């Protein structure tokens, strides 16, 4: 029989713990979520981490007053046991030099948003017209191509983000899995977007359980329909229900 401490739990944020919002800053966090995650982290012996495209500080603000291990900016920055590494904008001068040009390229587009994260930059077009969305996607692709092999373009749900080439959620999970309390445990990762597929591949290869949120095509082995379903599951686990990810619906 498995015990909670047999598992390491990795959680995406947007579209997984919270519903997607029209603008990144407008997501709503269920008031019960931070406390439930803290209880679940205790059951897991500390092996709970958020793996997200957001900066660490933004996740801290949303989940305050709780503080969790986090891989932010797709793993560019990490916090483990309170120690933060990576993620400084000063380490990415080539990217910084392109921000103004990208901002100018989309300035005339309606409802297109630039999200400057320091070590990465995202262009959002969720509320844009199809024509402006296409122009926004083209602009971020041009910028990514100009940066060369050190950076890559990561496309998601109505967003394109330029990140360091070495940064993926899959690699972030590999790094977590090399150290206590994550080492030697079976990984569970929940995510909802194209950016999570690389993490699903890593988790699948290690014999873990990958869970896609929503109906999209995926390599994940399990599926939940909505963030509300995710929260319902996590709240149950936090309050003592058996942790049995293999019992989740197949993808």
């Amino acid at each position: 029989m498995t015990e909670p401490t047999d598992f390491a739990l990795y959680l995406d944020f947007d579209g997984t713990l919270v519903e997607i919002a029209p603008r990144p800053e407008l997501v709503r966090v269920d008031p019960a979520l931070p406390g439930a995650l803290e209880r679940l982290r205790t059951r897991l012996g500390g092996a709970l981490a958020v793996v997200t495209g957001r900066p660490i500080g933004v996740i801290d603000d949303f989940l305050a007053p709780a503080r969790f291990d986090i891989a932010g900016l797709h793993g560019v920055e990490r916090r483990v046991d309170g120690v933060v590494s990576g993620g400084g904008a000063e380490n990415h001068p080539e990217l910084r030099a392109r921000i103004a040009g990208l901002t100018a390229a989309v300035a005339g587009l309606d409802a297109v948003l630039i999200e400057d994260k320091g070590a990465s930059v995202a262009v959002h077009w969720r509320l844009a017209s199809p024509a402006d969305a296409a122009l926004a996607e083209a602009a971020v692709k041009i910028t990514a191509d100009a940066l060369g092999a050190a950076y890559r373009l990561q496309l998601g749900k109505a967003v394109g983000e330029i990140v360091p080439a070495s940064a993926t959620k899959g690699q972030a999970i590999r790094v977590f899995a090399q150290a206590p309390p994550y080492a030697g445990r079976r990984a569970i990762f929940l995510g909802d977007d194209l950016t999570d597929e690389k993490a699903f591949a890593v988790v699948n290869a290690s014999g873990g359980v990958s869970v896609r949120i929503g109906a999209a095509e995926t390599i994940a082995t399990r599926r939940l329909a909505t963030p509300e379903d995710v929260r319902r599951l996590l709240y149950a686990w936090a309050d003592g229900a058996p942790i049995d990810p293999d019992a989740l619906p197949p993808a």
Side-chain angles (χ1 to χ4, degrees):
M1 180 177 178
T2 59
E3 299 292 336
T5 50
D6 293 330
F7 296 103
L9 180 61
Y10 306 98
L11 301 164
D12 175 45
F13 185 73
D14 293 282
T16 299
L17 293 178
V18 299
E19 284 75 11
I20 297 288
R23 295 173 61 94
E25 71 273 17
L26 297 181
V27 299
R28 178 186 175 276
V29 176
D30 185 346
L33 180 63
L37 292 179
E38 287 189 307
R39 296 194 304 277
L40 182 51
R41 175 174 59 185
T42 297
R43 283 197 77 198
L44 293 167
L48 183 153
V50 179
V51 181
T52 176
R54 301 264 202 168
I56 288 173
V58 171
I59 298 298
D60 284 347
D61 288 344
F62 279 126
L63 297 179
R67 292 290 184 269
F68 299 97
D69 289 349
I70 299 178
L73 304 180
H74 307 279
V76 175
E77 59 179 8
R78 288 185 301 279
R79 182 175 63 209
V80 181
D81 197 22
V83 178
V84 177
S85 60
E90 66 278 5
N91 297 322
H92 300 277
E94 299 90 350
L95 175 64
R96 304 310 308 163
R98 297 281 178 176
I99 299 294
L102 178 59
T103 301
V106 302
L109 304 179
D110 186 44
V112 172
L113 172 68
I114 292 275
E115 185 183 9
D116 185 352
K117 304 178 184 181
S120 72
V121 62
V123 179
H124 298 265
W125 53 82
R126 180 169 301 279
L127 298 180
S129 68
D132 280 358
L135 291 171
E137 183 173 350
V140 73
K141 284 181 176 177
I142 289 169
T143 302
D145 288 343
L147 281 164
Y151 293 86
R152 62 183 176 83
L153 177 62
Q154 189 160 258
L155 293 173
K157 295 176 179 176
V159 61
E161 184 167 2
I162 300 171
V163 300
S166 61
T168 70
K169 291 183 179 181
Q171 179 60 21
I173 289 175
R174 285 194 189 98
V175 172
F176 275 121
Q178 291 171 3
Y182 303 91
R185 297 181 181 221
R186 190 180 185 202
I188 308 169
F189 176 64
L190 283 71
D192 78 302
D193 206 346
L194 287 173
T195 62
D196 299 312
E197 293 293 321
K198 292 182 185 296
F200 294 151
V202 168
V203 170
N204 290 348
S206 72
V209 181
S210 52
V211 186
R212 177 77 185 234
I213 315 308
E217 184 177 348
T218 184
I219 64 170
T221 59
R222 302 288 164 178
R223 191 185 302 274
L224 292 171
T226 67
E228 183 177 3
D229 292 329
V230 172
R231 293 193 296 270
R232 187 179 299 115
L233 174 69
L234 297 179
Y235 294 172
W237 285 355
D239 292 333
I243 297 177
D244 184 8
D246 295 309
L248 295 175

